[in-house]
């Protein structure tokens, strides 16, 4: 039994939904289908989720948002017309949106979740309706009926452990199950969404819940590439990579998945295949527990900007018991999470995502570090990128870091920080953001061209 997830571009138009129908019909093992909201039809288009955010925001501000509402309805009408479906489905979607707008909720966050989730919810109904019109036995299933229980954190839901047992029952449903991605329900019955890109999370949870043989994730590229195709021309395709490698690459900016999305499938050891809706016969990329890595110790290069570092120096820091704890406590008190802490004898840097640090927090943190830890120097540097080379085979291969640093030297990139530390799977270089693309290109030349 397989779980398939189709992303926004795979469902953006009638033409795309026809391809999805063919893919489902081609394999009876494709039992559970998770759908996103309709995505962009071309570069300049707007995703339905973003239209819904505009609708919700405008409605909260003015108590009405007729133009924004019509923009959403038009997207579905266009799709329904292209699929030659009756007007009933568009009428149902219109009524659903009106009902959501009229719902009394506790907070604006809850209201926004209700609006955002309608993108996938109504699309799942539309896809089920279309498949039925083609004679395929298909049923829409609501996450509440299926018991997809999540924590009550609007926009940031976490699956609750008891959800998996509930979801196992989906195996026994008749025909193909069409399941909306991106949201679940709290035990109190509130609708709560996952972070953006969260339909991947739903797919992964369902794959773990029904104990699937395979989780197929359909998108708009033939495979995962070793580097970002917008930075490197025609990068090589990755045929196979491990769960850990995928997790590290997604963390550092690989946009294939939300970085936590695959964890439920990984924990259960369910293989994941990334495939292309526009070219379903291409083999795609398999993500599995173990791979043969002798011939390719480095599997990919990723980079992500938006980091900053809090640099702290104090003479004899290495001998001061509790210094690290106290420093991290100051950061914890501001509700900030950190990414890396490379350290020397008398200095240490705490690296974090810079959007967590507004001017007020920055001042408070610097003051507390100065006054409570009596340091010789503390300052913040912004505009950093983390460039990462990833591969399970790196730890057993001599010369990988030599090759990487030589490549960065050729690209005239100054390295602010290197962290190989405890991760056996990746090596991270902190560099200035504006040099990140040059760094990725030269690392690609080093590890992937003859
Ligand atoms: N539609 C949601 C978003 O755009 C979730 C998803 O597509 O995965 O973030």
């Amino acid at each position: 039994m397989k779980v398939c997830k189709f992303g926004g571009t795979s469902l953006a138009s009638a033409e795309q939904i026809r391809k999805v129908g063919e893919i489902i019909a081609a394999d009876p093992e494709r039992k559970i289908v998770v759908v996103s909201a309709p995505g962009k039809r071309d570069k300049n288009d707007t995703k339905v989720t973003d239209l819904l955010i505009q609708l919700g925001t405008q409605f909260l501000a003015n108590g009405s948002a007729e133009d924004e509402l019509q923009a959403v309805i038009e997207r579905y009408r266009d799709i329904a017309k292209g699929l030659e479906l009756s007007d009933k489905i568009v009428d149902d979607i219109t009524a659903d949106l009106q009902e959501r707008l009229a719902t009394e909720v506790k907070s604006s966050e809850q209201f926004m979740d209700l609006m955002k989730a309608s993108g996938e919810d109504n699309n799942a109904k539309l896809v089920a309706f279309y498949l039925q019109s083609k004679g395929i036995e298909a049923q829409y299933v609501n996450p509440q009926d299926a018991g997809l229980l999540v924590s009550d954190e609007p926009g940031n839901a976490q699956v609750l452990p008891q959800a998996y047992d509930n979801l196992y029952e989906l195996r026994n449903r008749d025909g193909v199950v069409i399941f909306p991605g991106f949201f679940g329900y709290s035990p109190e019955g509130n609708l709560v969404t996952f972070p953006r890109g969260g339909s991947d999370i739903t797919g992964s949870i369902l794959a773990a819940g029904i104990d699937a043989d395979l989780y197929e994730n359909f998108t708009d590229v033939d495979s995962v590439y070793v580097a970002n195709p917008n930075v490197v021309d025609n990068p090589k395709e990755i045929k196979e990579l491990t769960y850990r490698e995928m997790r590290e690459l997604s963390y550092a900016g690989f946009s294939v998945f939300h970085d936590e999305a695959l964890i439920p499938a990984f924990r259960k050891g369910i293989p994941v295949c990334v495939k292309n809706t526009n070219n379903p016969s291409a083999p795609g990329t398999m993500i599995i527990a173990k791979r043969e890595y002798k011939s390719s110790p480095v599997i990919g290069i990723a980079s992500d900007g938006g980091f900053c570092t809090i640099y702290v120096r104090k003479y004899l820091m290495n001998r001061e018991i509790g210094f690290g704890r106290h420093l991290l406590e100051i950061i914890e008190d501001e509700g900030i999470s950190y990414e890396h802490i490379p350290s020397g004898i008398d200095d240490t840097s705490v690296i974090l995502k810079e959007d967590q640090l507004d001017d007020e927090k920055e001042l408070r943190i610097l003051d507390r570090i100065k006054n409570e830890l009596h340091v010789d120097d503390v300052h913040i540097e912004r505009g950093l990128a983390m460039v990462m080379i990833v591969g399970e085979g790196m730890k057993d291969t001599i010369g990988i870091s030599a090759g990487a640093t030589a490549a960065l030297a050729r690209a005239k990139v100054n390295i602010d920080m290197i962290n190989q530390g405890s991760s056996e799977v990746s090596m991270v270089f902190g560099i200035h953001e504006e040099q990140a693309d040059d760094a990725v290109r030269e690392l690609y030349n080093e590890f992937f061209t003859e």
Side-chain angles (χ1 to χ4, degrees):
M1 214 178 254
K2 297 177 184 171
V3 171
C4 311
K5 180 256 168 178
F6 291 91
T9 53
S10 302
L11 298 155
S13 64
E15 190 193 347
Q16 290 300 88
I17 293 179
R18 282 213 170 84
K19 293 181 194 167
V20 169
E22 279 165 28
I23 292 169
I24 295 168
D27 183 350
E29 299 273 286
R30 292 182 174 134
K31 167 81 184 163
I32 313 276
V33 174
V34 176
V35 301
S36 281
K40 291 184 180 195
R41 292 161 290 190
D42 55 60
K43 261 202 190 132
N44 302 322
D45 202 9
T46 309
K47 285 171 146 202
V48 164
T49 310
D50 291 313
L51 293 178
L52 288 162
I53 292 173
Q54 289 166 13
L55 166 59
T57 314
Q58 179 71 10
F59 192 86
L60 280 176
N62 294 342
S64 79
E66 205 36 50
D67 292 351
E68 288 77 6
L69 176 62
Q70 288 312 319
V72 176
I73 295 170
E74 274 319 303
R75 283 294 306 269
Y76 290 106
R77 191 187 304 285
D78 190 50
I79 294 172
K81 201 164 146 230
L83 293 172
E84 294 167 31
L85 300 177
S86 76
D87 283 347
K88 179 176 179 319
I89 186 76
V90 185
D91 295 344
D92 287 353
I93 291 173
T94 307
D96 172 85
L97 286 165
Q98 270 154 353
E99 196 181 313
R100 285 174 200 255
L101 288 169
T103 307
E104 291 268 337
V105 286
K106 278 206 293 294
S107 67
S108 54
E109 282 101 345
Q110 235 180 49
F111 174 75
M112 288 306 286
D113 271 12
L114 192 66
M115 295 313 296
K116 281 190 281 178
S118 74
E120 343 298 283
D121 208 19
N122 284 319
N123 213 24
K125 289 177 192 162
L126 188 150
V127 169
F129 195 68
Y130 166 66
L131 293 175
Q132 287 156 8
S133 79
K134 289 275 142 198
I136 298 173
E137 191 184 357
Q139 56 168 312
Y140 156 84
V141 173
N142 179 274
Q144 191 164 33
D145 297 339
L148 175 41
L149 292 175
V150 297
S151 62
D152 205 348
E153 300 166 74
N156 198 24
Q158 305 264 357
V159 63
L160 298 179
Q162 61 270 40
Y164 293 106
D165 285 346
N166 299 340
L167 293 167
Y168 189 78
E169 296 305 317
L170 288 174
R171 292 182 79 96
N172 306 323
R173 301 267 180 149
D174 293 333
V176 182
V177 168
I178 311 295
F179 200 100
F182 194 35
F183 67 98
Y185 285 82
S186 70
E188 297 74 38
N190 297 327
L191 182 158
V192 199
T193 67
F194 294 117
R196 292 299 302 269
S199 296
D200 286 335
I201 306 182
T202 308
S204 177
I205 293 168
L206 261 54
I210 70 149
D211 208 2
D213 299 308
L214 182 66
Y215 172 26
E216 290 181 314
N217 196 294
F218 283 88
T219 167
D220 53 6
V221 286
D222 274 356
S223 72
V224 179
Y225 297 97
V226 300
N228 183 347
N230 298 326
V231 176
V232 173
D233 283 339
N234 283 320
K236 290 194 169 141
E237 293 185 357
I238 304 180
K239 289 196 171 50
E240 251 181 24
L241 77 166
T242 69
Y243 298 146
R244 293 210 302 171
E245 290 169 335
M246 187 72 232
R247 155 84 172 122
E248 300 264 344
L249 288 168
S250 320
Y251 161 78
F254 257 44
S255 60
V256 186
F257 291 111
H258 182 278
D259 69 341
E260 291 158 25
L262 296 181
I263 292 172
F266 292 175
R267 288 214 174 111
K268 265 251 163 123
I270 294 162
V272 180
C273 187
V274 178
K275 283 179 81 77
N276 190 352
T277 300
N278 305 316
N279 185 17
S281 57
T285 298
M286 283 298 290
I287 309 168
I288 45 185
K290 274 204 176 103
R291 71 174 176 94
E292 174 50 62
Y293 54 70
K294 288 280 173 297
S295 59
S296 50
V298 176
I299 196 86
I301 304 161
S303 90
D304 199 12
F307 291 89
C308 68
T309 175
I310 306 177
Y311 173 83
V312 184
R313 181 166 53 79
K314 183 177 184 188
Y315 183 53
L316 293 182
M317 181 190 287
N318 62 325
R319 306 241 308 251
E320 191 171 322
I321 291 171
F323 186 93
R325 181 199 46 75
H326 194 158
L327 176 63
L328 292 179
E329 196 174 73
I330 293 172
I331 290 160
E332 181 186 353
D333 287 347
E334 291 294 340
I336 287 177
S337 66
Y338 69 89
E339 310 290 320
H340 311 274
I341 345 176
S343 32
I345 302 166
D346 285 339
D347 46 15
T348 190
S349 301
V350 184
I351 295 173
L352 31 108
K353 282 276 182 188
E354 63 186 342
D355 59 4
Q356 298 184 97
L357 206 62
D358 57 33
D359 292 349
E360 266 174 46
K361 281 192 181 181
E362 175 171 334
L363 264 181
R364 269 201 307 271
I365 288 177
L366 291 179
D367 274 353
R368 280 191 65 188
I369 294 175
K370 265 182 225 145
N371 299 334
E372 294 173 28
L373 290 165
H374 311 290
V375 297
D376 300 324
D377 182 22
V378 54
H379 63 263
I380 292 184
E381 272 175 50
R382 287 181 178 266
L384 291 182
M386 295 295 132
V387 175
M388 213 166 180
I389 55 173
V390 175
E392 299 257 9
M394 292 192 332
K395 66 178 189 328
D396 298 327
T397 313
I398 293 169
I400 299 284
S401 59
T405 48
L408 294 174
R410 281 199 302 278
K412 304 211 166 10
V413 170
N414 185 42
I415 306 171
D416 281 330
M417 186 278 299
I418 303 182
N419 194 359
Q420 184 180 16
S422 29
S423 167
E424 296 172 344
V425 212
S426 67
M427 206 178 288
V428 185
F429 300 94
I431 65 171
H432 278 271
E433 235 163 22
E434 58 285 1
Q435 291 191 300
D437 288 355
D438 288 345
V440 169
R441 279 190 282 268
E442 205 48 51
L443 288 165
Y444 181 83
N445 289 340
E446 176 70 27
F447 293 109
F448 293 101
T449 57
E450 311 293 287

